[in-house]
Amino acid sequence: MALTPIVAHRGSVTRWSQSLIPTLREAPAEAECPSHVLLLRAGFIRKLGAGIYDYLPLAWRTLRKVQQIVREEMDATGAQEISLPILVPIELYAGTRRDRDYGDLLFKLSDRKGALTALGPTHEESVTEAVAGSVSSYKQLPLSLYQITNKFRDEARPRSGLLRGREFIMKDAYSFHATVDGVGGLNETYDKMFTAYSNTFRRCGLSFTAVEAESGPIGGSASHEFMVNADSGEDTILKCPATGYAANVEKCEIGTRPHGTFQEPPSGELTEIHTPNLPGIHEVGKFIKVKPDRMLKTIVFQVNSSSESPVSEPPPSEPPAPAGDSTSLASPPIRWILAVVRGDHEVNEGKVRIVSGLKVTLADEKAARAAGFAIGYVSPRSVNTVPNTLLLIDADASLGGFWASGADKPDYHVKHFNWRREVGSKLDEPRYVKLGDLRNAREGDPSPRDPGAKLVTARGIEVGHIFKLGTKYSDAMGFKVHSAQQQQQPVIMGCYGIGVSRTMAASVEQNHDANGIIWPMPIAPYHVLITLMKPEAPEHQAAAKQLADELSSAGIDVLIDDRDERPGVKFKDADLVGIPIRITIGDKALAEKSVEYKLRKGDDKGSLVPITEAAQRCRDAIVAAMA
Amino acid sequence: MALTPIVAHRGSVTRWSQSLIPTLREAPAEAECPSHVLLLRAGFIRKLGAGIYDYLPLAWRTLRKVQQIVREEMDATGAQEISLPILVPIELYAGTRRDRDYGDLLFKLSDRKGALTALGPTHEESVTEAVAGSVSSYKQLPLSLYQITNKFRDEARPRSGLLRGREFIMKDAYSFHATVDGVGGLNETYDKMFTAYSNTFRRCGLSFTAVEAESGPIGGSASHEFMVNADSGEDTILKCPATGYAANVEKCEIGTRPHGTFQEPPSGELTEIHTPNLPGIHEVGKFIKVKPDRMLKTIVFQVNSSSESPVSEPPPSEPPAPAGDSTSLASPPIRWILAVVRGDHEVNEGKVRIVSGLKVTLADEKAARAAGFAIGYVSPRSVNTVPNTLLLIDADASLGGFWASGADKPDYHVKHFNWRREVGSKLDEPRYVKLGDLRNAREGDPSPRDPGAKLVTARGIEVGHIFKLGTKYSDAMGFKVHSAQQQQQPVIMGCYGIGVSRTMAASVEQNHDANGIIWPMPIAPYHVLITLMKPEAPEHQAAAKQLADELSSAGIDVLIDDRDERPGVKFKDADLVGIPIRITIGDKALAEKSVEYKLRKGDDKGSLVPITEAAQRCRDAIVAAMA
């Protein structure tokens, strides 16, 4: 037989007159995006400084509901909640050097003893320190830890209210593993986190897309972003309507495209044109009367020869190439990469890495000039003139026909560029020339998952990001555990973030109309708003109290608008703050032993419901909306 | 008919092997007090820096339970929860000057634009800014707001683990009123807060004392501290066993004591003694062979003539004294105060204020010397030699008999000091001499509430403090509201703090034994610990799972020790972490379809309970302990 629970959860009942809900007619002029405007106007937040906001009672209620959903889903993965200090002693960054990498984004202070301390932007170092100090054997792994705390980034341009603030609420989780695969491995936890993130945003009542993302400078491993779908979003997502594949612009693959054979005949004689003082490809195109889609854009990258090793490095079990004798190898080392795309396309750095198999960054302009590249006027021909150069050509740029290009000397371009004629025999040497997918995807490109489908674009707001970190932090901080074979092995990590305050703002971006916010039921500050037409009338008060009691004993949160204001003001404010269910108590309905019941969402015109049935009606609507 | 709740609360079930509970044999040498040692050893916290601690999973569970109790009690007062930024732009302190008053205690940083920002130690300024910007009429008051957030103080000597850290969790509440008395007034909310605080600490399972406290430099208004009773506490409390009256040392009144008449005959001729190079009253006493309780200690205070007005200032409705003509008044203004107590007693500055009716601080030594006081050797006779001096005499020091005193010149004391002979006729002028209660109370003093009872002392740890602030912050920040008479009136405030992380530590100070922590049921990280003697045995696992399911569905939190460790290690750890109820699943008991049931508290030796009754037994014990 089931035990009686030790506690029963009651919903909150709040009188508007006792709370602080300072609704405004107008938002300050600086507020632009819908969530910024509406959260200010509806009295959810108040600006205290640049990128710094007070969470007033309504905002805090919504934020706590988001936090609770996040917490439940994190707990379901087996992660344990902790709380790490906001203060992070600077010594912790000694191994990871993130204090330098973050640069001005990191808030730093000196304490009374002159010790330098950062305000944590995320807590990879702190959590690794804690686990490294407590765990020494593979038997104690896997371990997942998370926290929901204020984070700090000194943004150069804080903007869009809570979407890019300097102090914000984030859930950050970290997992620690002895293996990548199998039971207890990184991949198992990563998949659980993927599910938890999907559940979290679904339970928050949000329409979202999980997209494949670039994993950043650590290379190789997987990463997904969770985007709340919203036309006002900053990020572009590409989706395959046929398969559900979705990725961000940095990551999105493109399906098979036709490419050239380098045997196509020239379109005419190579002609040099003087093109001085033209700042960009569009200006050049206009001047020489060529559309960007018939021009070649050649971007120079440099190969990082430093401590960072190429992605294609052989696994550690194979003997590494002997050091210090690179000149004796059959292929000379590649130092430069030319990436060629069509003038109307954008080179994708991640794809340059993948196609080249090398760690690359955009070339330092001075060094590239010194090597012989006419930066701004480079053509693919440079592969023949600058030693140790690899030429990468995007499929669309490899086709035949007319092409314009830089002329490899300042202030000159050429017309009638022909691949075979201008580049010659190196085109046949895969050591020097590779053909592939080098550019950002865009709407209309073939889907990488279904040959017949075309990619479509959508806008989104990033609210979550999960990463397979690998050993980046454990290596940098010297965190190893004993393996089953009693050897020291590096610890493999994952990290998983959710922007909690950002999720609230993203929900408003997605769910609002001209009159105000429309909260999804699960994260609405209150489920039900009871508006008293005559707050001073005892029978109105009594009806409100009885209804609120019934609702709260079922765990339903109720806001009672008991203000001494005109009904017009109250209804406008009700639209603005966006509580999902609205009950109005007035003389007319009360005479029929009824109340008015109206949903904020859609075009509900409202209807009379017998007062004895009102609570049940609310409960049914809430349960349906939370399912 | 009652509605079915929209959500059911389930308890947590955690496997020890999945959590991070790094128990230690020994605490670091620097840990001294029981809570610091035990929270470190039991794997609740980990030091990240000076006064900065990670809250590991067990600590965070306890802290969240404390927070939830605080939240429910705050909500019950009608206060609304908010969350203010940790970052506080320094401009906010312009009116209150608390940035200066806090001095080095305030953490400050410069952002990338050079703007100075503090990390909030408490948030009077931020909350007043928010409310002042949103509330303009008395009709919108009263209003109570609270938050539970990390606070920051750059302590010179962070110590005792969580008891005096540099980053800590605090609940701070603020109330705003148009009146002090009546419905909606400060006193009403103050009383509700007093009740809420009492409920909070009672519900946390703590033995505590609410004591009257000094309200600090703002004067006049009431203040109470809530002290967790613990012998290891830093603070001394005085209590009247007969009436329940309790106060801290700064505040505690003393009941009626006998006092002198200033007519007592001299004990002998006044004799000067050379007393060079004696640093304190004890050394002087030894040298001149007089016990401290027969010596007079005369402390010089100065009257603050600045913007701060005396407590006894007439209410604003009376015309203020004309400025700049103080010389023309009948009584010359008092500039100096001599407070005389017995050599073995301590002068109480708050009582000096009360008896004098003036705002005073300890005299600046240089200024006092310049005025003619022989600092270190002052006697009550100085009232006759330094103009504008008021002499206050504690009852015990006013008695007749033998007295030694300073001689009003460096390196000299006198014996056989006699009040009438040495001070003379000023003793009869209440303008210059007052008799009263000027010293700290101590054990054995008469109770101020019951003439027959004597005060007793106890030790405690301050975990809560409530204040009637008055208009200190609203005046400084120019926050006024329209009154019912359409006039601008100052807003009256109260503030109310609870040290949340300190409450956890104080609970350990109060509840532990030689083997570890003994958590009170309501704030234990888990209610029940199930220890598996053979974690690998399927029948042990099955029994644990079934029991844990039953318990968690009743809202009970369960930790399962499934580690592959020797039973001795597990039992030692169980004592250390202090989960209140311990169920052990082993072969012998299981053969009798039973489990072992044992309480952490007291001398429970454990007993066998049929497995079918174990959950109910746990539930009954939990409910009883939470009542």
Side-chain angles (χ1 to χ4, degrees):
Chain A
M1 204 191 77
L3 301 180
T4 314
I6 54 170
V7 280
H9 172 73
R10 284 185 70 91
S12 296
V13 178
T14 304
R15 299 160 74 89
W16 192 307
S17 66
Q18 286 196 345
S19 188
L20 183 66
I21 310 174
T23 54
L24 303 170
R25 297 252 171 101
E26 305 277 344
E30 69 184 80
E32 290 161 11
C33 66
S35 67
H36 194 188
V37 170
L38 289 173
L39 289 171
L40 283 170
R41 283 194 54 212
F44 279 65
I45 61 174
R46 179 177 170 84
K47 183 177 175 178
L48 185 64
I52 302 173
Y53 291 87
D54 301 332
Y55 302 123
L56 300 182
L58 292 185
W60 190 240
R61 291 190 61 83
T62 288
L63 287 169
R64 288 196 59 230
K65 290 191 178 186
V66 175
Q67 288 178 30
Q68 186 56 27
I69 291 170
V70 169
R71 181 171 285 133
E72 287 169 12
E73 292 299 330
M74 281 297 109
D75 289 347
T77 70
Q80 301 296 313
E81 189 170 357
I82 60 174
S83 185
L84 299 168
I86 283 163
L87 299 176
V88 181
I90 209 80
E91 297 80 45
L92 269 195
Y93 296 103
T96 66
R97 300 190 202 168
R98 283 211 305 167
D99 51 340
R100 284 192 337 192
D101 294 351
Y102 265 112
D104 282 348
L105 271 180
L106 200 64
F107 279 109
K108 285 181 284 283
L109 61 82
S110 277
D111 69 12
R112 66 158 73 211
K113 290 180 176 150
L116 204 58
T117 305
L119 306 190
T122 59
H123 283 176
E124 283 81 357
E125 287 84 358
S126 302
V127 75
T128 304
E129 192 280 337
V131 177
S134 310
V135 164
S136 57
S137 162
Y138 76 99
K139 288 187 195 169
Q140 293 167 282
L141 302 179
L143 177 65
S144 296
L145 300 171
Y146 75 98
Q147 59 173 354
I148 306 173
T149 55
N150 285 27
K151 304 293 191 298
F152 299 83
R153 286 187 204 175
D154 195 0
E155 295 282 350
R157 291 196 310 114
R159 61 187 182 280
S160 306
L162 302 189
L163 289 176
R164 194 163 297 275
R166 299 201 297 163
E167 177 172 349
F168 51 95
I169 305 172
M170 187 175 159
K171 185 283 297 177
D172 45 329
Y174 307 90
S175 68
F176 299 85
H177 312 267
T179 60
V180 173
D181 297 311
V183 174
L186 171 63
N187 288 342
E188 184 187 68
T189 296
Y190 189 88
D191 293 345
K192 277 189 199 167
M193 288 288 177
F194 189 98
T195 304
Y197 273 50
S198 301
N199 290 345
T200 298
F201 297 117
R202 181 184 51 69
R203 287 185 56 194
C204 284
L206 299 172
S207 154
F208 69 96
T209 308
V211 306
E212 294 188 11
E214 259 302 290
S215 46
I218 52 163
S221 285
S223 170
H224 284 88
E225 285 173 357
F226 290 79
M227 300 278 196
V228 166
N229 303 319
D231 293 340
S232 54
E234 270 192 348
D235 294 299
T236 301
I237 305 165
L238 290 124
K239 300 182 189 189
C240 167
T243 62
Y245 170 84
N248 67 13
V249 168
E250 285 72 39
K251 176 71 177 180
C252 188
E253 302 159 41
I254 304 175
T256 311
R257 289 172 277 158
H259 58 83
T261 60
F262 304 132
Q263 302 303 341
E264 292 84 0
S267 56
E269 204 161 318
L270 192 72
T271 316
E272 240 174 39
I273 313 165
H274 191 214
T275 54
N277 304 322
L278 297 167
I281 202 157
H282 285 272
E283 288 78 3
V284 172
K286 259 187 189 163
F287 182 77
I288 64 172
K289 300 203 170 67
V290 177
K291 291 206 173 137
D293 64 2
R294 296 316 303 163
M295 296 173 76
L296 297 177
K297 181 154 61 177
T298 305
I299 306 290
V300 187
F301 290 86
Q302 63 191 32
V303 177
N304 293 343
S305 56
S306 73
S307 60
E308 299 189 55
S309 44
V311 175
S312 61
E313 187 186 38
S317 57
E318 293 183 26
D325 63 348
S326 58
T327 50
S328 72
L329 292 173
S331 308
I334 296 298
R335 299 218 185 287
W336 305 101
I337 289 177
L338 300 176
V340 187
V341 299
R342 235 166 59 183
D344 59 332
H345 289 157
E346 296 300 328
V347 170
N348 180 303
E349 195 173 314
K351 293 182 177 181
V352 171
R353 285 202 193 98
I354 292 167
V355 175
S356 69
L358 295 167
K359 290 236 170 187
V360 303
T361 50
L362 215 58
D364 175 70
E365 211 171 304
K366 217 169 135 189
R369 280 189 213 281
F373 294 109
I375 294 296
Y377 305 89
V378 179
S379 99
R381 294 179 304 186
S382 295
V383 70
N384 288 317
T385 56
V386 181
N388 307 329
T389 297
L390 172 67
L391 176 65
L392 306 182
I393 310 166
D394 183 63
D396 293 328
S398 72
L399 298 171
F402 172 91
W403 289 111
S405 165
D408 292 312
K409 63 181 180 185
D411 295 344
Y412 283 91
H413 281 80
V414 295
K415 284 186 174 181
H416 300 294
F417 179 98
N418 175 270
W419 280 105
R420 176 56 57 181
R421 184 176 66 193
E422 320 316 340
V423 180
S425 65
K426 274 213 175 162
L427 288 173
D428 307 321
E429 294 189 59
R431 211 164 73 181
Y432 293 113
V433 178
K434 288 181 204 286
L435 212 151
D437 174 15
L438 289 180
R439 67 168 174 86
N440 284 350
R442 57 185 195 184
E443 187 146 284
D445 280 336
S447 161
R449 295 287 182 273
D450 181 335
K454 284 188 191 324
L455 292 171
V456 295
T457 56
R459 308 290 288 176
I461 300 164
E462 185 192 341
V463 288
H465 202 159
I466 59 178
F467 282 101
K468 296 183 185 176
L469 280 179
T471 60
K472 177 182 160 91
Y473 290 93
S474 46
D475 280 349
M477 298 181 69
F479 177 24
K480 293 180 189 295
V481 290
H482 287 291
S483 70
Q485 291 76 39
Q486 289 302 313
Q487 293 191 313
Q488 288 283 90
Q489 67 166 98
V491 172
I492 296 153
M493 290 174 59
C495 77
Y496 318 92
I498 289 179
V500 170
S501 40
R502 201 167 225 247
T503 296
M504 175 170 77
S507 170
V508 177
E509 296 285 334
Q510 185 178 80
N511 303 287
H512 68 271
D513 63 17
N515 298 321
I517 304 172
I518 304 167
W519 287 107
M521 191 65 80
I523 63 171
Y526 296 91
H527 302 105
V528 177
L529 171 66
I530 301 179
T531 302
L532 300 184
M533 299 291 278
K534 286 189 187 163
E536 73 291 355
E539 67 277 23
H540 290 212
Q541 287 172 12
K545 187 180 179 313
Q546 193 201 319
L547 188 54
D549 279 351
E550 275 186 88
L551 292 168
S552 85
S553 65
I556 294 167
D557 299 321
V558 183
L559 178 63
I560 302 175
D561 191 349
D562 62 341
R563 290 176 300 164
D564 178 21
E565 294 281 1
R566 283 176 293 113
V569 169
K570 292 184 182 181
F571 293 144
K572 259 195 147 46
D573 278 351
D575 281 344
L576 194 53
V577 303
I579 307 301
I581 299 176
R582 198 186 301 173
I583 301 279
T584 304
I585 296 180
D587 279 338
K588 230 173 109 181
L590 224 46
E592 300 180 43
K593 295 191 172 16
S594 294
V595 294
E596 195 187 295
Y597 174 100
K598 185 170 180 305
L599 299 178
R600 173 65 180 89
K601 199 175 177 177
D603 289 326
D604 189 5
K605 298 287 173 227
S607 55
L608 289 190
V609 174
I611 201 162
T612 52
E613 295 168 23
Q616 186 69 49
R617 177 76 81 94
C618 292
R619 186 191 177 280
D620 293 347
I622 292 163
V623 170
M626 308 267 265
Chain B
M1 202 191 77
L3 301 180
T4 314
I6 56 170
V7 278
H9 170 72
R10 284 185 71 89
S12 297
V13 178
T14 303
R15 300 158 72 90
W16 192 306
S17 65
Q18 286 195 346
S19 189
L20 183 65
I21 310 174
T23 53
L24 303 170
R25 297 252 172 99
E26 304 278 343
E30 71 186 78
E32 287 161 13
C33 67
S35 67
H36 193 187
V37 170
L38 289 174
L39 289 171
L40 283 170
R41 282 194 55 212
F44 279 65
I45 61 173
R46 181 178 168 83
K47 183 176 177 179
L48 186 64
I52 302 173
Y53 291 87
D54 302 332
Y55 302 123
L56 300 181
L58 292 185
W60 190 241
R61 291 190 60 84
T62 287
L63 288 169
R64 290 195 58 231
K65 290 191 178 186
V66 175
Q67 288 178 29
Q68 186 55 28
I69 291 170
V70 168
R71 181 171 285 131
E72 288 169 13
E73 292 299 329
M74 282 297 109
D75 290 347
T77 70
Q80 301 295 312
E81 189 171 356
I82 60 174
S83 184
L84 299 168
I86 283 163
L87 299 176
V88 181
I90 208 79
E91 298 80 45
L92 269 194
Y93 296 102
T96 66
R97 300 190 202 167
R98 281 212 305 165
D99 51 341
R100 283 190 338 188
D101 293 351
Y102 266 112
D104 282 347
L105 272 181
L106 201 63
F107 279 109
K108 287 182 282 284
L109 60 84
S110 277
D111 69 12
R112 66 159 72 212
K113 288 176 179 154
L116 205 57
T117 305
L119 306 190
T122 58
H123 283 175
E124 282 81 356
E125 288 85 358
S126 302
V127 76
T128 304
E129 193 282 337
V131 177
S134 310
V135 164
S136 58
S137 162
Y138 76 99
K139 287 187 196 169
Q140 295 166 280
L141 300 180
L143 177 64
S144 296
L145 300 171
Y146 75 97
Q147 60 174 353
I148 306 173
T149 57
N150 285 27
K151 304 294 191 298
F152 299 83
R153 285 187 203 174
D154 195 359
E155 295 283 349
R157 292 195 311 114
R159 63 188 181 280
S160 307
L162 303 188
L163 289 175
R164 193 163 297 275
R166 298 200 299 163
E167 176 172 350
F168 50 94
I169 305 172
M170 188 174 159
K171 186 283 296 177
D172 44 328
Y174 307 91
S175 69
F176 300 85
H177 312 269
T179 59
V180 171
D181 296 311
V183 174
L186 171 63
N187 288 343
E188 185 187 66
T189 296
Y190 188 88
D191 292 345
K192 278 189 198 169
M193 288 288 177
F194 188 98
T195 303
Y197 273 50
S198 302
N199 290 344
T200 298
F201 298 117
R202 182 184 49 71
R203 287 184 57 193
C204 284
L206 298 173
S207 155
F208 69 96
T209 307
V211 305
E212 294 188 11
E214 258 303 289
S215 48
I218 52 166
S221 286
S223 170
H224 284 89
E225 285 172 358
F226 290 78
M227 300 277 195
V228 166
N229 303 320
D231 293 339
S232 55
E234 269 193 350
D235 294 299
T236 301
I237 306 164
L238 290 126
K239 301 183 188 187
C240 167
T243 62
Y245 169 83
N248 66 14
V249 168
E250 286 71 39
K251 177 70 176 180
C252 188
E253 301 160 41
I254 304 174
T256 312
R257 288 173 278 159
H259 59 84
T261 59
F262 303 133
Q263 304 302 343
E264 293 83 0
S267 55
E269 205 160 319
L270 192 72
T271 317
E272 238 173 43
I273 313 165
H274 191 213
T275 54
N277 304 318
L278 297 168
I281 200 157
H282 285 274
E283 287 78 2
V284 171
K286 259 189 191 166
F287 182 77
I288 64 172
K289 299 202 172 65
V290 176
K291 288 203 177 142
D293 64 3
R294 295 317 305 165
M295 296 173 75
L296 297 177
K297 181 155 57 176
T298 305
I299 307 289
V300 186
F301 290 85
Q302 62 192 33
V303 177
N304 294 343
S305 55
S306 74
S307 59
E308 299 187 56
S309 44
V311 175
S312 62
E313 187 187 38
S317 55
E318 292 183 29
D325 63 348
S326 58
T327 51
S328 72
L329 291 174
S331 307
I334 294 299
R335 299 218 186 287
W336 305 100
I337 289 177
L338 299 176
V340 186
V341 298
R342 234 167 57 183
D344 60 330
H345 289 156
E346 297 299 327
V347 171
N348 181 303
E349 195 173 316
K351 293 183 178 180
V352 171
R353 286 202 192 95
I354 292 166
V355 176
S356 68
L358 295 167
K359 290 234 172 186
V360 303
T361 49
L362 213 57
D364 175 69
E365 210 171 305
K366 217 170 134 188
R369 279 188 212 280
F373 293 109
I375 294 296
Y377 305 88
V378 180
S379 97
R381 295 178 302 187
S382 295
V383 71
N384 289 317
T385 56
V386 181
N388 306 329
T389 298
L390 173 66
L391 176 65
L392 306 182
I393 309 166
D394 182 65
D396 294 325
S398 72
L399 297 170
F402 173 90
W403 289 112
S405 164
D408 291 313
K409 63 181 180 185
D411 295 342
Y412 283 89
H413 281 78
V414 295
K415 284 185 173 182
H416 300 293
F417 178 99
N418 176 269
W419 280 105
R420 176 57 57 182
R421 184 178 65 195
E422 321 316 340
V423 180
S425 65
K426 273 212 176 162
L427 288 174
D428 307 321
E429 293 189 57
R431 208 164 76 183
Y432 294 113
V433 177
K434 287 181 203 285
L435 215 152
D437 174 16
L438 290 179
R439 65 166 175 89
N440 286 349
R442 58 184 192 183
E443 187 147 285
D445 280 337
S447 162
R449 295 287 182 273
D450 180 335
K454 284 189 190 324
L455 292 172
V456 294
T457 56
R459 310 290 289 175
I461 300 163
E462 185 192 339
V463 288
H465 203 160
I466 59 178
F467 283 99
K468 296 184 183 174
L469 281 178
T471 60
K472 177 181 161 94
Y473 290 92
S474 47
D475 280 349
M477 297 181 69
F479 176 25
K480 293 180 187 295
V481 290
H482 288 290
S483 71
Q485 290 76 39
Q486 288 303 311
Q487 294 191 312
Q488 290 281 91
Q489 67 167 97
V491 172
I492 296 153
M493 291 173 58
C495 76
Y496 318 91
I498 289 180
V500 171
S501 40
R502 202 166 224 250
T503 296
M504 174 170 76
S507 169
V508 177
E509 296 286 333
Q510 186 176 81
N511 303 286
H512 68 271
D513 61 18
N515 298 320
I517 305 172
I518 303 167
W519 288 107
M521 190 66 78
I523 62 172
Y526 296 91
H527 303 104
V528 178
L529 171 66
I530 301 179
T531 301
L532 301 183
M533 298 291 277
K534 285 189 190 164
E536 73 292 352
E539 67 276 21
H540 290 215
Q541 288 172 11
K545 188 180 178 313
Q546 194 201 318
L547 187 54
D549 279 351
E550 274 185 88
L551 291 169
S552 86
S553 64
I556 294 165
D557 299 320
V558 183
L559 177 63
I560 301 176
D561 189 350
D562 62 341
R563 290 176 300 164
D564 178 20
E565 293 280 3
R566 282 177 295 114
V569 170
K570 292 185 181 180
F571 293 144
K572 258 194 149 47
D573 278 351
D575 280 343
L576 194 52
V577 304
I579 307 302
I581 299 176
R582 197 187 302 174
I583 300 278
T584 304
I585 296 180
D587 279 338
K588 229 172 112 183
L590 225 46
E592 300 180 42
K593 294 191 174 12
S594 294
V595 294
E596 193 188 296
Y597 174 99
K598 184 169 182 302
L599 299 179
R600 172 67 180 89
K601 199 174 175 176
D603 288 326
D604 189 5
K605 298 289 173 226
S607 55
L608 289 190
V609 174
I611 201 160
T612 50
E613 293 167 25
Q616 186 68 50
R617 175 77 80 95
C618 291
R619 186 192 177 281
D620 293 346
I622 293 164
V623 169
M626 310 268 264

